[in-house]
Amino acid sequence: MEYYLLVLAKFVIGFLIVISHLNFSGKTQLSQMTPVDFIGNFVLGGIIGGVIYNDVIPLYQYIIVLVIGVMLISLLNSISKRFFLFRSFAIGNPIPIVKDGKFIMENILRRRNKIDILNVASQLHAQGIHSFQNLKYAQIEPGGQITAVCEGAEMPSVILVKDGRVRHSELDAIQKDEEWLHEKITALGVKEVSEIFLAEFWQGQMTLVMTDGKVCR
């Protein structure tokens, strides 16, 4: 009976630690999770599954290992938010595949992207887009979803600055450089990029959300 109570205790403790971690990180839905979260949750599940029936490993060691795993996942997610290079490696960047109605073949055929165009077609059909001929722009998001804009529709906005850091990949996507960006934000009365929480560019207009919540247009 003592053995089963210990198994139950390990299960409850593991469940509470993982649920607390998900609630603390705000990622309680699968759609919110990054590859770091998925891999980390598999690791945590492996720890719980591997230890829960093992009465040789003390309960305190089991708890410590779980806490270390949770802390590592949180650390990697924090790094991915602060350092775009690591985010690009761990999570990935959007991959444009159609622009101005033309296929970007170098992105589609690049081996490391491994894009299945038939899967792309299926996702477009699920969105009610029945033909590639209707597309003006399309990109594959890091999570695998397709963002598509049809002919006659408006292009989505582009986030050029996040948390005071310039997103150079997004600047490249709209064929602009950092000098152009500084001219835009200076025209709105902002001197330093570090003062900007978010810079959104849409329909030729720049909107800045400052770190104090103020919006500049």
Side-chain angles (χ1 to χ4, degrees):
M1 184 66 179
E2 183 179 347
Y3 169 78
Y4 295 107
L5 289 175
L6 181 61
V7 169
L8 178 62
K10 288 180 178 178
F11 177 80
V12 171
I13 290 170
F15 183 82
L16 289 175
I17 289 176
V18 172
I19 289 296
S20 298
H21 163 62
L22 293 176
N23 285 326
F24 180 76
S25 65
K27 297 178 180 179
T28 56
Q29 303 294 325
L30 285 176
S31 60
Q32 298 172 307
M33 293 186 182
T34 67
V36 171
D37 294 312
F38 276 112
I39 295 171
N41 289 338
F42 283 134
V43 171
L44 293 179
I47 294 172
I48 296 172
V51 176
I52 195 170
Y53 300 113
N54 191 332
D55 55 356
V56 177
I57 300 175
L59 183 61
Y60 75 91
Q61 287 187 353
Y62 166 65
I63 296 174
I64 290 172
V65 170
L66 271 180
V67 171
I68 290 173
V70 167
M71 291 175 62
L72 180 60
I73 296 170
S74 299
L75 176 63
L76 291 176
N77 274 323
S78 178
I79 292 174
S80 71
K81 290 179 181 178
R82 296 177 181 273
F83 299 98
F84 293 139
L85 184 61
F86 181 79
R87 179 182 178 84
S88 177
F89 170 75
I91 300 176
N93 293 315
I95 304 171
I97 56 173
V98 177
K99 187 175 182 179
D100 296 327
K102 297 179 180 179
F103 282 84
I104 307 175
M105 298 308 298
E106 58 268 28
N107 287 348
I108 295 173
L109 299 178
R110 189 175 297 163
R111 186 166 183 173
R112 69 183 179 90
N113 290 338
K114 297 181 180 178
I115 294 173
D116 183 349
I117 201 66
L118 296 180
N119 182 48
V120 172
S122 296
Q123 290 195 54
L124 291 175
H125 294 165
Q127 294 182 31
I129 301 172
H130 304 299
S131 172
F132 283 114
Q133 298 175 39
N134 296 332
L135 285 181
K136 178 181 179 183
Y137 180 85
Q139 70 180 25
I140 300 177
E141 304 295 345
Q145 305 91 345
I146 305 292
T147 296
V149 179
C150 292
E151 291 290 346
E154 296 177 344
M155 293 288 290
S157 67
V158 179
I159 305 300
L160 300 178
V161 177
K162 180 181 178 293
D163 295 328
R165 293 178 175 84
V166 178
R167 305 184 71 203
H168 292 94
S169 60
E170 300 300 313
L171 276 175
D172 293 339
I174 62 173
Q175 300 178 335
K176 303 294 183 181
D177 56 20
E178 202 164 337
E179 182 179 350
W180 170 87
L181 176 63
H182 281 286
E183 290 176 358
K184 283 287 187 180
I185 66 174
T186 301
L188 293 173
V190 178
K191 296 180 179 179
E192 299 293 336
V193 174
S194 59
E195 301 174 17
I196 302 172
F197 170 69
L198 199 73
E200 181 185 48
F201 186 67
W202 185 58
Q203 291 186 329
Q205 300 294 322
M206 184 78 74
T207 300
L208 307 179
V209 180
M210 311 307 292
T211 53
D212 61 2
K214 180 182 176 182
V215 178
C216 301
R217 292 188 176 90

